Structures are given as structure tokens and as C-alpha cells.
């Protein structure tokens, strides 16, 4: 209209969050889900696993001196050949847990050595977890018939391990009750060495124990951390990118008379 002027300004939407409402809702959902996975993973791990420090070298090279391990809480009835277990027996050590490998269970006949190998129920057992080039035992030990409900245990470092062979003269011929077992070692976590290798040499005698849920717990914790960090970073990143792409505001100018 003649004599009339208008002011042209850049259009803006005041109060709209950078990245859009949908993006912010999704980022909030990601953070919430991430917290559930992250905290839930730690709680799950605390319920299922117990940490132990192994003070001796009797389980090298599988577990070194001072290594920190995670052991799944299990009932002694669930222990199988090849498992590395945590147990307490006053005839072995007073008021302290011991970590050894189960090589025979109740009803088995164990002896050593045949061609440098351990024999269980007359079958030679391959033990790749032993130190390279070492024999199953330095000296032979007599045949032992493991009583029902008991276990025969050895250290992976056979030269200096105070295991069942050091207690052969005991009333139980060096065996330990299943009920003395409180946990089964799944992994060495400090220094990080990962999950223990499966003792496949014992498969000729029966099924092995299945690994615990440690991998699933770790996956939940890592996924939760990624979601929390990603969701939390969405807002600042979207705002920064939005600021770069927004066109510069035009200064107000009078429109010409029309």
C-alpha cells in the first residue's frame, strides 16, 4: 500500500530444541535404556560372580601369581572334569580358598603317568593348558579310585603345586568333597587375559561345563555405556551442527513503497 512500510525479518522458531523434538525424545530413551543395561549388568555380575586373587603360581600358565579372577557361584554338584574351581578344605589350607583344576570326579579312577600323560578311567588326557613341554606329573602317583561325592584336583603347574598328590596319605586319598566347592573360575580379569580355554581333553569322558554368563554381562555393560554416551552427546552435537547450518539473520530494512 502506498506510504506504508513493512519490516522484513528472518523467520525463526523460538524455543524449538536443536535437533528436533523427536531426536531429543529418542536420545532420552537411549540414555534411560543405557542406564538400565549398564547398572543392570553390574548388578547381575555381582550376584553371579565373585572376585578372587590367586596368590601362588600353582595354576600357571592358566592363572599367574597375583592374577585377579572372576568365579561363577556354583553348587558343587554341578562341577565337571576340567573345571577350575574355588574350594575350602581345612586339611589343605586353614581359612583360605584354594584354586585348582578338577581332573577326576566320584567314581573315576585316576593315575599318572602313561607316556607322560594323565589317565582317567584308562584314557589318556590331553592337557594343552600345562606349561609347554612339561609332563602331567614329575613323578608317578599310584592309582586312586575317587569316592562318590568327591573330586581329585591338580594345579596346572605340576612341579610345585600342593594339590591332591600332596595329600595322598590323607584319609580321603587327596580328594575333596564336592560340597567344599563354592565357585568355578570363568576368566582372568586382571591383568586382562579373558575367558579360560575349554578343557577339551576331558570330552572323551563326558560333557564339559558350559561357560557362565560373563560375556553377556560384559556386552550389556558396554552397550549401556555406548547408549548413555551417545544419547547424552546428541543434544550438544545437534545444537552445534544446527548453529553451523542456520542462515545468517538479515537486518531489518524498510520495504519500498508499493
Amino acid at each position: 500500500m502506498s506510504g506504508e512500510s513493512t519490516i522484513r525479518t528472518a523467520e525463526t522458531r523460538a524455543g524449538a530444541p536443536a535437533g528436533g523434538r523427536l531426536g531429543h525424545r529418542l536420545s532420552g530413551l537411549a540414555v534411560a535404556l543405557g542406564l538400565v543395561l549398564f547398572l543392570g549388568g553390574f548388578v547381575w555380575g555381582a550376584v553371579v560372580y565373585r572376585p578372587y586373587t590367586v596368590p601362588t603360581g600353582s595354576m600357571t600358565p592358566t592363572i599367574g601369581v597375583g592374577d585377579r579372577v572372576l568365579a561363577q557361584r556354583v553348587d558343587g554338584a554341578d562341577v565337571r572334569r576340567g573345571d577350575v574351581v574355588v574350594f575350602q578344605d581345612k586339611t589343605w589350607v586353614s581359612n583360605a580358598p584354594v584354586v585348582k583344576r578338577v581332573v577326576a570326579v566320584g567314581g573315576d579312577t585316576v593315575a599318572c603317568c602313561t607316556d607322560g600323560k594323565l589317565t582317567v578311567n584308562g584314557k589318556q588326557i590331553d592337557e594343552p593348558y600345562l606349561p609347554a613341554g612339561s609332563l602331567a606329573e614329575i613323578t608317578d602317583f599310584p592309582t586312586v579310585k575317587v569316592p562318590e561325592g568327591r573330586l581329585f584336583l591338580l594345579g596346572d603347574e605340576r612341579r610345585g603345586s600342593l594339590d591332591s598328590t600332596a595329600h595322598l596319605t590323607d584319609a580321603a586319598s587327596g580328594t575333596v568333597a564336592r560340597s567344599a566347592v563354592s565357585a568355578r573360575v570363568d576368566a582372568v580379569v586382571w591383568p586382562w587375559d579373558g575367558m579360560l580355554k575349554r578343557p577339551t581333553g576331558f570330552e572323551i569322558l563326558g560333557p564339559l561345563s558350559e561357560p557362565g554368563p560373563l560375556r553377556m554381562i560384559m556386552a550389556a555393560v558396554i552397550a549401556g555405556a555406548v547408549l548413555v554416551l551417545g544419547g547424552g552427546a546428541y543434544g550438544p552435537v545437534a545444537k552445534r551442527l544446527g548453529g553451523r547450518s542456520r542462515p545468517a539473520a538479515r537486518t531489518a530494512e524498510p520495504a519500498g513503497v508499493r
Side-chain angles (χ1 to χ4, degrees), residues 49-62:
Y49 286 93
R50 294 184 64 184
Y52 293 91
T53 299
V54 180
T56 70
S58 66
M59 285 300 295
T60 55
T62 305

Side-chain angles (χ1 to χ4, degrees), residues 13 25 29-30 48 61 73 78 86 89-90 102-103 116 120 134 138 140 142 172 177-178 205 212 216 227 233 249:
R13 291 184 299 166
R25 286 177 181 175
L29 181 61
V48 176
R73 302 169 193 259
D78 297 327
V86 181
D89 190 315
K90 292 181 180 180
V102 176
V103 298
V120 181
S134 67
I138 300 301
D140 293 353
R178 280 183 175 271
L205 300 172
M216 294 178 61
L227 286 172

Side-chain angles (χ1 to χ4, degrees), residues 180-255:
V181 174
S182 59
R184 178 175 54 229
V185 177
D186 253 8
V188 178
V189 294
W190 186 262
W192 176 254
D193 197 29
M195 303 289 289
L196 298 191
K197 295 181 180 178
R198 290 176 63 76
T200 54
F202 290 94
E203 286 181 321
I204 59 175
L205 300 172
L208 306 178
S209 294
E210 292 297 325
L214 184 58
R215 285 193 175 96
M216 294 178 61
I217 292 172
M218 293 176 63
V221 171
I222 293 172
V226 170
L227 286 172
V228 170
L229 293 176
Y234 174 81
V237 171
K239 184 176 181 180
R240 186 176 183 86
L241 294 177
R244 289 179 176 178
S245 61
R246 185 181 298 121
R250 291 177 294 175
T251 56
E253 58 181 9

Side-chain angles (χ1 to χ4, degrees), residues 90-106:
K90 292 181 180 180
T91 63
W92 288 47
V93 180
S94 296
N95 302 319
V98 181
V99 177
K100 301 292 179 187
R101 187 182 297 274
V102 176
V103 298
V105 299

Side-chain angles (χ1 to χ4, degrees), residues 3-29:
E4 197 177 291
S5 66
T6 59
I7 303 298
R8 296 175 182 171
T9 59
E11 294 183 0
T12 61
R13 291 184 299 166
R21 292 180 179 178
L22 178 60
H24 278 267
R25 286 177 181 175
L26 291 177
S27 68
L29 181 61

